[in-house]
Amino acid sequence: MACPCCNPDKRTGKVLALLALLIAIGAADAAQGDTCDYFSYAGSFVIGDQPDCLAVGNLTGGDPDIVAANVGYYSEAAGRFVGRSVAVYANDGTGGFSQFLVMDVEDAPEAVAIADVNEDTSNDIILVSAEQGITVFINNGPQFTRTGPFACGAVPLAVAVADVNRDNKPDIVTANNGSDNISVLLGNGDGTLAEARNYDSGAAPTDLCVADFDEDGNPDIVVVNSLDDSITLFLGLYDGAFYSGGGISVGESPRSVVAGHFDKDGHYDVAVGSFAGKSLTVLDGNGDGTFVAAPALLLDAGLSDVSASDLDDDGNDELLVALSDNTFRAYRKSLFGFTLVNTYDTGSNPISIATADLNVDGNEDAAVAAYNDGTVSLFWGKHCDSGEGEGEGEGEGEGEGEGEGEGEGEGEGEGEGEGEGEGEGEGEGEGEGEGEGEGEGEGEGEGSGGCFGGSAGKSGILGGDLSLMTTIVVVLLLFRRRSAGM
């Protein structure tokens, strides 16, 4: 007696069902990628000589303003560098920006951040520069008072602000390219910083991000090591101290890193951009300080900066990348990795991306600094209503066969979160009669925005597409029954 698993008829059915499933998943993934665009170009303005880093935040008492760290250039006539500055451009409340203040600096600025470091309810500016370390510009409205400099490691290229010792006072972390380490400076709450604690990283760190990767309530740090092709994780303790959590290999010459939620599992993930390697690597966090690397997304240009923001309120952060081909691109998570949504033109050599609701319409916008021409390009986020999408799929099949046989197939599919769908089909036939099979499915999805919800029923990834998948399976099973009866 032949074993059931060797039955050609059953094997054919399994193959057909699997094929139908793969086809349905592929179609659903394509449908999910057919989304609305995230941004529209809103113009540009000159912000300074060779801006190296942008930050956004409320500095002038209104809506999000833009701050740039301008590297400047060497003037043969003057015999020195000129144009080195911190430039503040004020928001008029509609996304229009005008120069508010330009503060000249002696040393080459490398990175800038915004936070209320003296706890007076007004945001201040934190600047790191190659030789002087950290300078804090205290916001006295409308002027700023400089404090520092505060020493950190050599040639800091990146800065982050976080309350690492949980005393409700902003602390400062830098990635130091010249000394192969990071510096942690605890804030005193009055605009001054405690002496730096330094922790060895890999070779030539260029960027860092802060998040609670092991979910113990203490902020942790991931730093990018450009010459080691790796990242290093530092796990935080309750008092603001850190210990190494090990390193992970990533793409060639990594340059930029950002933390975010990319797969709706509640754990922080990390995205690492590579300039020389022209790639984007996403590391899925496990919630315990460990990561699983997904295959790198290969690009056709060098990646200068990466940013993350949930642009469509679906619970997943989208990725924005600045590329050496004078564009920035938006990617969203799909079933098989990150999918390109659109490409946007920028100024020459885009180098820094900042996101916020700049025009105060409820949508996340983007500002992109271009190093070569000293401009900031603005992109307004598009409105996507939270809506529902529906999709339906029906299928019928008829067959005639001699002999006797009957078959019945049912399929149901449900998806939680964005949609659900059901479908069932039956078919039977006896003797020289006929058999019919019908399958119907209907799905609804509540999702973020009409982009993925109400737009042409695209949320059927878990709704109509799933019921369509069920219908396809049923029809193929009926086809198998008919073939078996011939």
Side-chain angles (χ1 to χ4, degrees):
M1 177 171 141
C3 63
C5 62
C6 299
N7 188 316
D9 182 52
K10 291 190 175 183
R11 281 188 308 183
T12 302
K14 291 179 180 179
V15 170
L16 291 173
L18 179 60
L19 179 61
L21 178 61
L22 292 175
I23 292 173
I25 290 176
D29 193 35
Q32 193 182 37
D34 184 15
T35 67
C36 77
D37 195 359
Y38 288 130
F39 299 105
S40 61
Y41 178 68
S44 65
F45 62 92
V46 175
I47 201 165
D49 294 312
Q50 298 183 336
D52 197 33
C53 180
L54 287 186
V56 294
N58 180 4
L59 291 168
T60 61
D63 299 304
D65 306 306
I66 295 178
V67 178
N70 297 313
V71 175
Y73 64 96
Y74 185 80
S75 169
E76 294 287 350
R80 60 182 177 84
F81 278 92
V82 297
R84 288 180 168 175
S85 67
V86 175
V88 179
Y89 275 66
N91 193 336
D92 65 4
T94 65
F97 290 88
S98 60
Q99 184 182 107
F100 177 78
L101 185 66
V102 176
M103 297 173 283
D104 292 332
V105 295
E106 296 179 2
D107 193 15
E110 299 291 351
V112 65
I114 296 175
D116 181 11
V117 295
N118 65 341
E119 300 183 308
D120 65 350
T121 71
S122 295
N123 282 327
D124 311 302
I125 300 173
I126 302 96
L127 176 73
V128 296
S129 52
E131 296 179 5
Q132 293 189 349
I134 303 169
T135 301
V136 177
F137 295 81
I138 300 298
N139 188 351
N140 296 316
Q143 299 300 315
F144 288 78
T145 302
R146 306 185 194 200
T147 62
F150 302 95
C152 60
V155 193
L157 295 186
V159 62
V161 182
D163 182 15
V164 299
N165 61 344
R166 300 191 298 177
D167 65 352
N168 297 316
K169 300 173 183 177
D171 308 308
I172 309 298
V173 185
T174 64
N176 309 312
N177 187 263
S179 51
D180 298 340
N181 61 10
I182 65 170
S183 296
V184 179
L185 294 85
L186 301 181
N188 296 317
D190 59 359
T192 64
L193 304 172
E195 184 177 352
R197 301 175 182 176
N198 298 322
Y199 301 90
D200 291 338
S201 65
T206 55
D207 199 10
L208 55 78
C209 62
V210 180
D212 186 6
F213 296 109
D214 61 358
E215 300 176 8
D216 64 350
N218 302 312
D220 309 307
I221 302 169
V222 166
V223 60
V224 168
N225 307 307
S226 62
L227 295 185
D228 283 349
D229 300 342
S230 69
I231 63 170
T232 302
L233 170 67
F234 294 93
L235 298 173
L237 301 173
Y238 71 95
D239 60 352
F242 290 84
Y243 65 96
S244 177
I248 302 174
S249 296
V250 291
E252 178 187 358
S253 299
R255 181 166 179 172
S256 182
V257 64
V258 68
H261 295 290
F262 304 133
D263 52 13
K264 294 185 181 178
D265 65 356
H267 307 314
Y268 272 107
D269 311 307
V270 171
V272 182
S274 169
F275 187 85
K278 299 180 180 179
S279 65
L280 179 65
T281 301
V282 175
L283 306 172
D284 293 328
N286 295 317
D288 58 359
T290 63
F291 298 88
V292 177
L297 175 64
L298 299 181
L299 307 170
D300 54 5
L303 190 153
S304 299
D305 193 25
V306 59
S307 180
S309 183
D310 186 1
L311 302 174
D312 47 44
D313 298 322
D314 68 345
N316 273 345
D317 286 325
E318 281 66 51
L319 287 173
L320 304 177
V321 298
L323 298 175
S324 61
D325 62 355
N326 301 333
T327 66
F328 97 99
R329 300 177 188 176
Y331 290 87
R332 71 182 299 273
K333 186 68 178 290
S334 64
L335 289 178
F336 300 117
F338 279 86
T339 301
L340 176 65
V341 175
N342 208 346
T343 299
Y344 310 88
D345 292 331
T346 65
S348 177
N349 190 14
I351 197 167
S352 181
I353 302 171
T355 59
D357 183 8
L358 298 174
N359 62 349
V360 202
D361 67 350
N363 302 311
E364 197 82 347
D365 309 309
V368 184
Y371 186 84
N372 289 350
D373 55 19
T375 62
V376 171
S377 297
L378 301 174
F379 299 88
W380 293 159
K382 292 190 175 180
H383 187 65
C384 291
D385 282 326
S386 179
E388 293 187 358
E390 296 187 0
E392 295 188 1
E394 295 187 1
E396 287 193 8
E398 294 188 2
E400 294 184 4
E402 295 184 359
E404 184 172 335
E406 59 179 288
E408 186 170 302
E410 295 188 356
E412 293 188 354
E414 295 187 3
E416 297 182 7
E418 295 198 3
E420 56 182 56
E422 296 187 358
E424 54 176 48
E426 298 188 55
E428 60 178 37
E430 292 187 10
E432 295 186 7
E434 9 180 290
E436 292 187 357
E438 293 187 358
E440 292 189 359
E442 201 171 282
E444 292 189 359
E446 296 184 4
S448 299
C451 296
F452 312 117
S455 175
K458 291 305 179 185
S459 68
I461 173 80
L462 294 179
D465 282 325
L466 185 56
S467 58
L468 176 60
M469 177 188 72
T470 304
T471 302
I472 293 173
V473 171
V474 170
V475 171
L476 288 175
L477 288 173
L478 289 172
F479 173 76
R480 176 181 64 87
R481 179 190 62 91
R482 176 186 173 189
S483 298
M486 292 179 62

